Amino acid sequence: MNDPIDRLRAARPAHLGDTPVDERTRAAELTRAMAQPRQERRTRRAPGRRTIARPAWGLGLAGAAAAVTAVAVAVTGTGGTPPSPSAARTGQAVSSSESPGSSPGRTAPDGQVRLSARTVLLAAAHRAAGQPDETGAWWHTVSVSRTLFRAEGADYTVVDRQRTESWTPSATGPEQRQYSGSQSLGAQPATPEDEAAWREAGAPAEIPVVVPGKKGAKLSLSTGPGEVQKGQAPLPDGDKVFWLGRNVSVRDLRALPSEPDALKAWLLRSYKGHGTESSAPMTRDAWLFTVTTGLIADMPVTPEVRGAAFRMLAGLASIEVTRDVTDAEGRAGTAVTIDEPEASAMGKAAAGNDGVLRTRLIFDEETGRALATENVVVRPGGPQAGMEPGTVWNSDVTLESGWTDDGPAS
């Protein structure tokens, strides 16, 4: 069983039974999985353990696909902010590679103070830790993922959009269940230039696209929205819902240490020298960055732990912060990234292509809340072949993330 889609199908969690999952969803999940370990998903399949799904059939399948295909694309860039064509949205870079004892900023020739990446992250940590600590019956998240595909036999790119919603109970036990819903929002040309080419091709409502990793695969993306697919499943092991280097429960997350060094030590107990879904080597800092951005993005940790996570990121080598970055929903924020050229080179060899991606977390400096995680093309290759450096290849935008007492509608 060497075909990636067949492996994805075989890796599907048994509890989903005959719930239909269309080929479009499978292909989108495989595309995201092929970017591993560039963005370790917050919900994972641990070696030797059952798949933990968030949502029940969506991200769990992506994690399973990554585990069985072991395809690795590099997490990082070449040492600087990539060029910014019209398809990408970037801003002003703040100085990187700040050591813990370095100056909090420098004065530019124009007389303005340029803050260091460390200073920006420490300020975000302070604000994140100061947010109210609220809990409820359910941890509720809503996100929209976007992935670029090249149209087959045509010279344009489309962006496929998927909306995901999930409810995770705060209570544990065999009677508790997690709920999810997903919907395709339709595909559309990625840029005005792509739209012009699409219209020249007759503005088809169904767009055949190239499926990365499956030679000769046929996939057609609709420009219209699909039906909402709902699912539910018991909590694996009675309480394990999230992946943070290993399977963890809501209770585990709420009990994480709120001191940066202690949090770092807790996380590093799961570090084995490689990505969490791949055997491709990954340095400790890159692994910590990947896992920690997942923690910040959509996990039910306390404000103090979220603040500790930002402080830990501030202490990593080679971090870079870019202000005035706009996510796919048009919201302005600040992005933090890390470069890992050595792991990049090894990951490329494992993946069989020379593509390099940079993973970044976009967050709101005023609250420390995550806005989106993105993968930006630094050097095109593999699924990103033909894309300009600086293109946002895929993204997950967090629309809602927080506690509520209102459960899913039946």
Side-chain angles (χ1 to χ4, degrees), residues 114-141:
R114 301 287 192 256
L115 296 178
S116 72
R118 175 176 171 81
T119 299
V120 172
L121 290 175
L122 291 179
H126 176 73
R127 291 167 181 147
Q131 298 301 306
D133 186 12
E134 300 173 347
T135 58
W138 300 89
W139 179 253
H140 177 235
T141 63

Side-chain angles (χ1 to χ4, degrees), residues 111-282:
Q112 294 184 338
V113 175
R114 301 287 192 256
L115 296 178
S116 72
R118 175 176 171 81
T119 299
V120 172
L121 290 175
L122 291 179
H126 176 73
R127 291 167 181 147
Q131 298 301 306
D133 186 12
E134 300 173 347
T135 58
W138 300 89
W139 179 253
H140 177 235
T141 63
V142 180
S143 63
V144 174
S145 66
R146 292 169 170 83
T147 303
L148 296 183
F149 289 89
R150 290 291 292 175
E152 187 174 28
D155 189 24
Y156 63 89
T157 299
V158 295
V159 55
D160 190 45
R161 300 164 297 154
Q162 305 278 335
R163 183 183 188 274
T164 300
E165 187 167 14
S166 66
W167 291 264
T168 301
S170 57
T172 59
E175 74 284 357
Q176 298 297 326
R177 305 183 74 81
Q178 56 183 333
Y179 296 82
S180 66
S182 63
Q183 180 188 22
S184 168
L185 301 179
Q188 62 186 25
T191 68
E193 293 79 11
D194 291 317
E195 182 176 4
W198 170 70
R199 293 192 182 281
E200 266 188 42
E206 297 289 329
I207 304 172
V209 297
V210 177
V211 182
K214 193 182 183 192
K215 208 168 185 181
K218 299 296 182 183
L219 176 65
S220 183
L221 301 180
S222 172
T223 56
E227 294 183 359
V228 176
Q229 297 182 337
K230 295 184 178 181
Q232 56 175 292
L235 305 184
D237 297 337
D239 63 354
K240 303 294 190 297
V241 186
F242 296 92
W243 177 262
L244 196 60
R246 59 181 181 269
N247 298 343
V248 296
S249 65
V250 171
R251 184 178 302 172
D252 293 331
L253 293 174
R254 299 290 295 174
L256 285 172
S258 57
E259 196 278 326
D261 288 342
L263 177 62
K264 183 177 181 179
W266 192 98
L267 293 172
L268 283 175
R269 292 175 199 160
S270 300
Y271 175 62
K272 307 299 181 185
H274 54 76
T276 64
E277 291 295 348
S278 165
S279 60
M282 193 180 223

